Amino acid sequence: MTIGTHLSELGGLPVFDFPGLKDTRALPEPGAVAWRISVETYGAEEEWEQAFARFTGAVDTRQVRALIVGGWSEAYEDSNAGIVGTLAGAASQFPALRALFVGDITFEECEISWIQQSDVGPLLRAYPALEEFGVRGGEGLAFPPVSHGALRVLRVETGGLPREVVRGVAASELPALTELDLWLGTPEYGGDAETGDLEPFLTGERLPSLRRLALRNSEIQNEVAAALATAPVVERLEVLDLSMGILDDRGAEALLAGRPLTHLTKLDLHHHYVSEPLRERLCAALAPHGVEVDLGDVQSPDVDEDDETEYRYIAVAE
């Protein structure tokens, strides 16, 4: 699996690509769409900051509700620190902004683990009314602890999420957060977080409003499942998402033996290595209670013909 398409909506609004230099399309109403500002990652005719300047000159930014940072020149080599600074410095021009996503880049533009991110803390500090924030790419990503009273949705998509980012999110004060989505990834691409780093999420003490928890795309998916099986936070969740990783029968057994999950509206385990008997047990335990169990995209291990070693892969890595 790779990320082959751009976001189609953000903050409940359809995405509209702000026209390039030679594009003469008519512009929609400022508050009717999520604006995506992007330049070519290879051989760009203008820098992202130049495209942003054209955007602020053409659109009444006071009405803009959702904004997407797409590709920037040399995204595989140059960090977006300048873009973060530009956006933070322009906060007074966007009083209505409620949703922001940084790094809406497909694999054809730049592989997810090549995207050069930076410290995104200035964005959350500059936009205290932001309700949804997302970022794609873990290389160079920093997320120091923040205090944000309005943020409801936080999504971090990576092929390898650094431990320090996990700890920064865990140490943040986010009382309004209802959805947390972390793609933990693989150590090969910097995903060095361990289950101990997730403990603040599992207790739920810092996230009193949390209703959807996604800890996914992980090589430690079984360990995460075992930790969640006895985690206090599960009792108040509506959706638990452990998808896109290498979950197998060990993780499934842990979920079945742990705290009851019958109160959930959905348990998402798609892209997994769980055997058919365990899949049947999960459905038998939860489906009668109205829980939607997503066990799609069943994976089979790759087996080395020489030594019969089995290899399992997360959904999104490079």
PDB file of all heavy atoms in Angstrom, residues 57-85:
ATOM      1  N   GLY A  57      -3.099  36.985  -1.888  1.00  0.00           N
ATOM      2  CA  GLY A  57      -3.460  38.155  -2.677  1.00  0.00           C
ATOM      3  C   GLY A  57      -4.733  37.974  -3.473  1.00  0.00           C
ATOM      4  O   GLY A  57      -5.366  38.957  -3.874  1.00  0.00           O
ATOM      5  N   ALA A  58      -5.125  36.706  -3.694  1.00  0.00           N
ATOM      6  CA  ALA A  58      -6.285  36.436  -4.543  1.00  0.00           C
ATOM      7  C   ALA A  58      -7.533  36.037  -3.758  1.00  0.00           C
ATOM      8  O   ALA A  58      -8.647  36.115  -4.286  1.00  0.00           O
ATOM      9  CB  ALA A  58      -5.943  35.325  -5.537  1.00  0.00           C
ATOM     10  N   VAL A  59      -7.344  35.607  -2.513  1.00  0.00           N
ATOM     11  CA  VAL A  59      -8.455  35.059  -1.723  1.00  0.00           C
ATOM     12  C   VAL A  59      -8.622  35.856  -0.434  1.00  0.00           C
ATOM     13  O   VAL A  59      -7.628  36.276   0.184  1.00  0.00           O
ATOM     14  CB  VAL A  59      -8.178  33.561  -1.386  1.00  0.00           C
ATOM     15  CG1 VAL A  59      -9.249  33.005  -0.465  1.00  0.00           C
ATOM     16  CG2 VAL A  59      -8.103  32.733  -2.672  1.00  0.00           C
ATOM     17  N   ASP A  60      -9.869  36.061  -0.028  1.00  0.00           N
ATOM     18  CA  ASP A  60     -10.137  36.718   1.250  1.00  0.00           C
ATOM     19  C   ASP A  60      -9.846  35.719   2.360  1.00  0.00           C
ATOM     20  O   ASP A  60     -10.694  34.900   2.734  1.00  0.00           O
ATOM     21  CB  ASP A  60     -11.593  37.180   1.320  1.00  0.00           C
ATOM     22  CG  ASP A  60     -11.910  37.929   2.616  1.00  0.00           C
ATOM     23  OD1 ASP A  60     -11.004  38.058   3.470  1.00  0.00           O
ATOM     24  OD2 ASP A  60     -13.070  38.358   2.772  1.00  0.00           O
ATOM     25  N   THR A  61      -8.648  35.753   2.880  1.00  0.00           N
ATOM     26  CA  THR A  61      -8.207  34.738   3.844  1.00  0.00           C
ATOM     27  C   THR A  61      -8.964  34.816   5.164  1.00  0.00           C
ATOM     28  O   THR A  61      -8.934  33.865   5.942  1.00  0.00           O
ATOM     29  CB  THR A  61      -6.701  34.888   4.111  1.00  0.00           C
ATOM     30  OG1 THR A  61      -6.432  36.199   4.630  1.00  0.00           O
ATOM     31  CG2 THR A  61      -5.903  34.669   2.841  1.00  0.00           C
ATOM     32  N   ARG A  62      -9.649  35.903   5.409  1.00  0.00           N
ATOM     33  CA  ARG A  62     -10.417  36.015   6.654  1.00  0.00           C
ATOM     34  C   ARG A  62     -11.552  35.001   6.710  1.00  0.00           C
ATOM     35  O   ARG A  62     -12.054  34.689   7.798  1.00  0.00           O
ATOM     36  CB  ARG A  62     -10.983  37.432   6.799  1.00  0.00           C
ATOM     37  CG  ARG A  62      -9.932  38.527   6.946  1.00  0.00           C
ATOM     38  CD  ARG A  62     -10.563  39.892   6.851  1.00  0.00           C
ATOM     39  NE  ARG A  62     -11.222  40.084   5.550  1.00  0.00           N
ATOM     40  CZ  ARG A  62     -11.921  41.166   5.227  1.00  0.00           C
ATOM     41  NH1 ARG A  62     -12.071  42.152   6.103  1.00  0.00           N
ATOM     42  NH2 ARG A  62     -12.477  41.257   4.024  1.00  0.00           N
ATOM     43  N   GLN A  63     -11.937  34.477   5.536  1.00  0.00           N
ATOM     44  CA  GLN A  63     -13.030  33.514   5.471  1.00  0.00           C
ATOM     45  C   GLN A  63     -12.560  32.072   5.312  1.00  0.00           C
ATOM     46  O   GLN A  63     -13.373  31.148   5.345  1.00  0.00           O
ATOM     47  CB  GLN A  63     -13.951  33.863   4.305  1.00  0.00           C
ATOM     48  CG  GLN A  63     -14.582  35.238   4.382  1.00  0.00           C
ATOM     49  CD  GLN A  63     -15.497  35.486   3.193  1.00  0.00           C
ATOM     50  OE1 GLN A  63     -16.315  34.651   2.823  1.00  0.00           O
ATOM     51  NE2 GLN A  63     -15.335  36.655   2.567  1.00  0.00           N
ATOM     52  N   VAL A  64     -11.273  31.861   5.139  1.00  0.00           N
ATOM     53  CA  VAL A  64     -10.741  30.519   4.898  1.00  0.00           C
ATOM     54  C   VAL A  64     -10.860  29.677   6.163  1.00  0.00           C
ATOM     55  O   VAL A  64     -10.378  30.069   7.235  1.00  0.00           O
ATOM     56  CB  VAL A  64      -9.280  30.590   4.425  1.00  0.00           C
ATOM     57  CG1 VAL A  64      -8.665  29.193   4.359  1.00  0.00           C
ATOM     58  CG2 VAL A  64      -9.201  31.268   3.066  1.00  0.00           C
ATOM     59  N   ARG A  65     -11.461  28.492   6.021  1.00  0.00           N
ATOM     60  CA  ARG A  65     -11.694  27.615   7.170  1.00  0.00           C
ATOM     61  C   ARG A  65     -10.768  26.407   7.207  1.00  0.00           C
ATOM     62  O   ARG A  65     -10.573  25.809   8.261  1.00  0.00           O
ATOM     63  CB  ARG A  65     -13.154  27.150   7.147  1.00  0.00           C
ATOM     64  CG  ARG A  65     -14.164  28.291   7.275  1.00  0.00           C
ATOM     65  CD  ARG A  65     -15.549  27.888   6.798  1.00  0.00           C
ATOM     66  NE  ARG A  65     -16.005  26.660   7.420  1.00  0.00           N
ATOM     67  CZ  ARG A  65     -16.991  25.892   6.941  1.00  0.00           C
ATOM     68  NH1 ARG A  65     -17.591  26.230   5.815  1.00  0.00           N
ATOM     69  NH2 ARG A  65     -17.358  24.797   7.568  1.00  0.00           N
ATOM     70  N   ALA A  66     -10.244  26.013   6.054  1.00  0.00           N
ATOM     71  CA  ALA A  66      -9.388  24.823   5.999  1.00  0.00           C
ATOM     72  C   ALA A  66      -8.283  25.043   4.979  1.00  0.00           C
ATOM     73  O   ALA A  66      -8.519  25.568   3.889  1.00  0.00           O
ATOM     74  CB  ALA A  66     -10.208  23.593   5.629  1.00  0.00           C
ATOM     75  N   LEU A  67      -7.079  24.626   5.340  1.00  0.00           N
ATOM     76  CA  LEU A  67      -5.900  24.877   4.511  1.00  0.00           C
ATOM     77  C   LEU A  67      -5.016  23.636   4.498  1.00  0.00           C
ATOM     78  O   LEU A  67      -4.788  23.003   5.544  1.00  0.00           O
ATOM     79  CB  LEU A  67      -5.123  26.072   5.064  1.00  0.00           C
ATOM     80  CG  LEU A  67      -3.987  26.659   4.230  1.00  0.00           C
ATOM     81  CD1 LEU A  67      -4.509  27.211   2.916  1.00  0.00           C
ATOM     82  CD2 LEU A  67      -3.296  27.770   5.027  1.00  0.00           C
ATOM     83  N   ILE A  68      -4.508  23.304   3.312  1.00  0.00           N
ATOM     84  CA  ILE A  68      -3.650  22.137   3.146  1.00  0.00           C
ATOM     85  C   ILE A  68      -2.332  22.565   2.509  1.00  0.00           C
ATOM     86  O   ILE A  68      -2.334  23.222   1.465  1.00  0.00           O
ATOM     87  CB  ILE A  68      -4.321  21.080   2.250  1.00  0.00           C
ATOM     88  CG1 ILE A  68      -5.609  20.567   2.899  1.00  0.00           C
ATOM     89  CG2 ILE A  68      -3.373  19.920   1.979  1.00  0.00           C
ATOM     90  CD1 ILE A  68      -6.450  19.709   1.971  1.00  0.00           C
ATOM     91  N   VAL A  69      -1.250  22.193   3.136  1.00  0.00           N
ATOM     92  CA  VAL A  69       0.077  22.366   2.536  1.00  0.00           C
ATOM     93  C   VAL A  69       0.375  21.104   1.749  1.00  0.00           C
ATOM     94  O   VAL A  69       0.512  20.014   2.315  1.00  0.00           O
ATOM     95  CB  VAL A  69       1.161  22.588   3.610  1.00  0.00           C
ATOM     96  CG1 VAL A  69       2.543  22.665   2.943  1.00  0.00           C
ATOM     97  CG2 VAL A  69       0.871  23.840   4.412  1.00  0.00           C
ATOM     98  N   GLY A  70       0.447  21.236   0.437  1.00  0.00           N
ATOM     99  CA  GLY A  70       0.794  20.097  -0.396  1.00  0.00           C
ATOM    100  C   GLY A  70       2.305  19.991  -0.548  1.00  0.00           C
ATOM    101  O   GLY A  70       3.058  20.188   0.398  1.00  0.00           O
ATOM    102  N   GLY A  71       2.768  19.723  -1.752  1.00  0.00           N
ATOM    103  CA  GLY A  71       4.197  19.577  -1.973  1.00  0.00           C
ATOM    104  C   GLY A  71       4.927  20.897  -1.965  1.00  0.00           C
ATOM    105  O   GLY A  71       4.351  21.960  -2.216  1.00  0.00           O
ATOM    106  N   TRP A  72       6.193  20.832  -1.638  1.00  0.00           N
ATOM    107  CA  TRP A  72       7.075  21.988  -1.749  1.00  0.00           C
ATOM    108  C   TRP A  72       8.334  21.558  -2.487  1.00  0.00           C
ATOM    109  O   TRP A  72       8.650  20.370  -2.585  1.00  0.00           O
ATOM    110  CB  TRP A  72       7.405  22.598  -0.384  1.00  0.00           C
ATOM    111  CG  TRP A  72       8.027  21.658   0.613  1.00  0.00           C
ATOM    112  CD1 TRP A  72       9.351  21.402   0.813  1.00  0.00           C
ATOM    113  CD2 TRP A  72       7.327  20.831   1.558  1.00  0.00           C
ATOM    114  NE1 TRP A  72       9.532  20.485   1.819  1.00  0.00           N
ATOM    115  CE2 TRP A  72       8.304  20.125   2.305  1.00  0.00           C
ATOM    116  CE3 TRP A  72       5.971  20.641   1.864  1.00  0.00           C
ATOM    117  CZ2 TRP A  72       7.956  19.229   3.317  1.00  0.00           C
ATOM    118  CZ3 TRP A  72       5.636  19.754   2.866  1.00  0.00           C
ATOM    119  CH2 TRP A  72       6.619  19.062   3.583  1.00  0.00           C
ATOM    120  N   SER A  73       9.045  22.501  -3.032  1.00  0.00           N
ATOM    121  CA  SER A  73      10.221  22.211  -3.837  1.00  0.00           C
ATOM    122  C   SER A  73      11.258  21.422  -3.040  1.00  0.00           C
ATOM    123  O   SER A  73      11.589  21.784  -1.913  1.00  0.00           O
ATOM    124  CB  SER A  73      10.840  23.521  -4.345  1.00  0.00           C
ATOM    125  OG  SER A  73      12.004  23.280  -5.098  1.00  0.00           O
ATOM    126  N   GLU A  74      11.729  20.316  -3.634  1.00  0.00           N
ATOM    127  CA  GLU A  74      12.748  19.469  -3.010  1.00  0.00           C
ATOM    128  C   GLU A  74      12.291  18.949  -1.647  1.00  0.00           C
ATOM    129  O   GLU A  74      13.072  18.904  -0.689  1.00  0.00           O
ATOM    130  CB  GLU A  74      14.072  20.236  -2.852  1.00  0.00           C
ATOM    131  CG  GLU A  74      14.498  21.038  -4.063  1.00  0.00           C
ATOM    132  CD  GLU A  74      14.945  20.163  -5.216  1.00  0.00           C
ATOM    133  OE1 GLU A  74      15.564  19.129  -4.969  1.00  0.00           O
ATOM    134  OE2 GLU A  74      14.650  20.524  -6.367  1.00  0.00           O
ATOM    135  N   ALA A  75      11.026  18.531  -1.542  1.00  0.00           N
ATOM    136  CA  ALA A  75      10.481  18.065  -0.256  1.00  0.00           C
ATOM    137  C   ALA A  75      11.224  16.856   0.278  1.00  0.00           C
ATOM    138  O   ALA A  75      11.202  16.587   1.488  1.00  0.00           O
ATOM    139  CB  ALA A  75       8.997  17.731  -0.413  1.00  0.00           C
ATOM    140  N   TYR A  76      11.886  16.126  -0.586  1.00  0.00           N
ATOM    141  CA  TYR A  76      12.660  14.955  -0.195  1.00  0.00           C
ATOM    142  C   TYR A  76      14.025  15.335   0.371  1.00  0.00           C
ATOM    143  O   TYR A  76      14.751  14.483   0.883  1.00  0.00           O
ATOM    144  CB  TYR A  76      12.854  14.038  -1.408  1.00  0.00           C
ATOM    145  CG  TYR A  76      13.388  14.778  -2.610  1.00  0.00           C
ATOM    146  CD1 TYR A  76      14.749  14.920  -2.823  1.00  0.00           C
ATOM    147  CD2 TYR A  76      12.510  15.379  -3.511  1.00  0.00           C
ATOM    148  CE1 TYR A  76      15.231  15.640  -3.913  1.00  0.00           C
ATOM    149  CE2 TYR A  76      12.980  16.078  -4.603  1.00  0.00           C
ATOM    150  CZ  TYR A  76      14.336  16.203  -4.798  1.00  0.00           C
ATOM    151  OH  TYR A  76      14.798  16.928  -5.871  1.00  0.00           O
ATOM    152  N   GLU A  77      14.366  16.628   0.289  1.00  0.00           N
ATOM    153  CA  GLU A  77      15.700  17.069   0.698  1.00  0.00           C
ATOM    154  C   GLU A  77      15.654  18.279   1.624  1.00  0.00           C
ATOM    155  O   GLU A  77      16.485  18.407   2.540  1.00  0.00           O
ATOM    156  CB  GLU A  77      16.516  17.404  -0.553  1.00  0.00           C
ATOM    157  CG  GLU A  77      17.981  17.666  -0.313  1.00  0.00           C
ATOM    158  CD  GLU A  77      18.749  17.737  -1.620  1.00  0.00           C
ATOM    159  OE1 GLU A  77      18.835  18.853  -2.190  1.00  0.00           O
ATOM    160  OE2 GLU A  77      19.243  16.685  -2.065  1.00  0.00           O
ATOM    161  N   ASP A  78      14.702  19.173   1.393  1.00  0.00           N
ATOM    162  CA  ASP A  78      14.616  20.422   2.164  1.00  0.00           C
ATOM    163  C   ASP A  78      13.432  20.396   3.119  1.00  0.00           C
ATOM    164  O   ASP A  78      12.302  20.063   2.714  1.00  0.00           O
ATOM    165  CB  ASP A  78      14.474  21.620   1.222  1.00  0.00           C
ATOM    166  CG  ASP A  78      15.693  21.802   0.329  1.00  0.00           C
ATOM    167  OD1 ASP A  78      16.776  21.317   0.708  1.00  0.00           O
ATOM    168  OD2 ASP A  78      15.550  22.402  -0.750  1.00  0.00           O
ATOM    169  N   SER A  79      13.662  20.766   4.361  1.00  0.00           N
ATOM    170  CA  SER A  79      12.588  20.774   5.349  1.00  0.00           C
ATOM    171  C   SER A  79      11.601  21.891   5.061  1.00  0.00           C
ATOM    172  O   SER A  79      11.884  22.819   4.298  1.00  0.00           O
ATOM    173  CB  SER A  79      13.160  20.942   6.764  1.00  0.00           C
ATOM    174  OG  SER A  79      13.246  22.299   7.127  1.00  0.00           O
ATOM    175  N   ASN A  80      10.452  21.805   5.696  1.00  0.00           N
ATOM    176  CA  ASN A  80       9.422  22.822   5.509  1.00  0.00           C
ATOM    177  C   ASN A  80       9.423  23.860   6.619  1.00  0.00           C
ATOM    178  O   ASN A  80       8.408  24.512   6.867  1.00  0.00           O
ATOM    179  CB  ASN A  80       8.036  22.167   5.407  1.00  0.00           C
ATOM    180  CG  ASN A  80       7.650  21.429   6.679  1.00  0.00           C
ATOM    181  OD1 ASN A  80       8.356  21.465   7.686  1.00  0.00           O
ATOM    182  ND2 ASN A  80       6.524  20.756   6.644  1.00  0.00           N
ATOM    183  N   ALA A  81      10.558  24.024   7.286  1.00  0.00           N
ATOM    184  CA  ALA A  81      10.636  24.988   8.389  1.00  0.00           C
ATOM    185  C   ALA A  81      10.241  26.390   7.935  1.00  0.00           C
ATOM    186  O   ALA A  81       9.572  27.134   8.663  1.00  0.00           O
ATOM    187  CB  ALA A  81      12.044  25.000   8.990  1.00  0.00           C
ATOM    188  N   GLY A  82      10.644  26.770   6.721  1.00  0.00           N
ATOM    189  CA  GLY A  82      10.279  28.084   6.207  1.00  0.00           C
ATOM    190  C   GLY A  82       8.786  28.212   5.987  1.00  0.00           C
ATOM    191  O   GLY A  82       8.189  29.269   6.248  1.00  0.00           O
ATOM    192  N   ILE A  83       8.156  27.134   5.529  1.00  0.00           N
ATOM    193  CA  ILE A  83       6.709  27.136   5.327  1.00  0.00           C
ATOM    194  C   ILE A  83       5.987  27.257   6.661  1.00  0.00           C
ATOM    195  O   ILE A  83       5.025  28.024   6.802  1.00  0.00           O
ATOM    196  CB  ILE A  83       6.278  25.860   4.580  1.00  0.00           C
ATOM    197  CG1 ILE A  83       6.852  25.855   3.168  1.00  0.00           C
ATOM    198  CG2 ILE A  83       4.760  25.717   4.562  1.00  0.00           C
ATOM    199  CD1 ILE A  83       6.632  24.559   2.412  1.00  0.00           C
ATOM    200  N   VAL A  84       6.446  26.498   7.648  1.00  0.00           N
ATOM    201  CA  VAL A  84       5.849  26.582   8.987  1.00  0.00           C
ATOM    202  C   VAL A  84       5.951  28.010   9.520  1.00  0.00           C
ATOM    203  O   VAL A  84       4.989  28.564  10.066  1.00  0.00           O
ATOM    204  CB  VAL A  84       6.531  25.590   9.946  1.00  0.00           C
ATOM    205  CG1 VAL A  84       6.123  25.863  11.395  1.00  0.00           C
ATOM    206  CG2 VAL A  84       6.180  24.157   9.567  1.00  0.00           C
ATOM    207  N   GLY A  85       7.108  28.628   9.335  1.00  0.00           N
ATOM    208  CA  GLY A  85       7.282  30.002   9.786  1.00  0.00           C
ATOM    209  C   GLY A  85       6.370  30.976   9.057  1.00  0.00           C
ATOM    210  O   GLY A  85       5.803  31.889   9.669  1.00  0.00           O
TER     211      GLY A  85
END
